[in-house]
């Protein structure tokens, strides 16, 4: 694969490594690096690895962090 059409952050949450269990326990949630993740996605877009980047399920306060 040379590129993806859309690279999307689906949900602004990060959890500890390990098996995924739903619902996620509060103690398993770790800080989400909004800026770092978005900068990396912008770099993928700049390099032509992603035709478009975006977010989904983000409240406006999280979009403001980007």
């Amino acid at each position: 694969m040379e590129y993806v059409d859309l690279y999307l952050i689906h949900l602004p949450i990060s959890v500890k490594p390990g098996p995924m269990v739903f619902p996620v326990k509060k103690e398993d949630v770790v800080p989400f690096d909004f800026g770092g993740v978005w900068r990396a996605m912008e770099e993928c877009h700049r390099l032509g690895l992603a035709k478009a980047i975006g977010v989904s399920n983000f409240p406006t306060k999280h979009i403001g962090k980007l």
Side-chain angles (χ1 to χ4, degrees), residues 9-51:
I9 303 173
H10 175 66
L11 188 64
I13 187 171
S14 213
V15 296
K16 293 178 183 175
M20 185 60 76
V21 178
F22 289 101
V24 175
K25 296 177 186 170
K26 199 171 195 173
E27 60 268 16
D28 289 339
V29 175
V30 295
F32 184 81
D33 181 11
F34 288 90
V37 170
W38 189 253
R39 283 189 299 277
M41 290 176 66
E42 287 178 321
E43 182 67 5
C44 288
H45 181 257
R46 187 186 70 74
L47 294 171
L49 301 173
K51 294 291 182 182

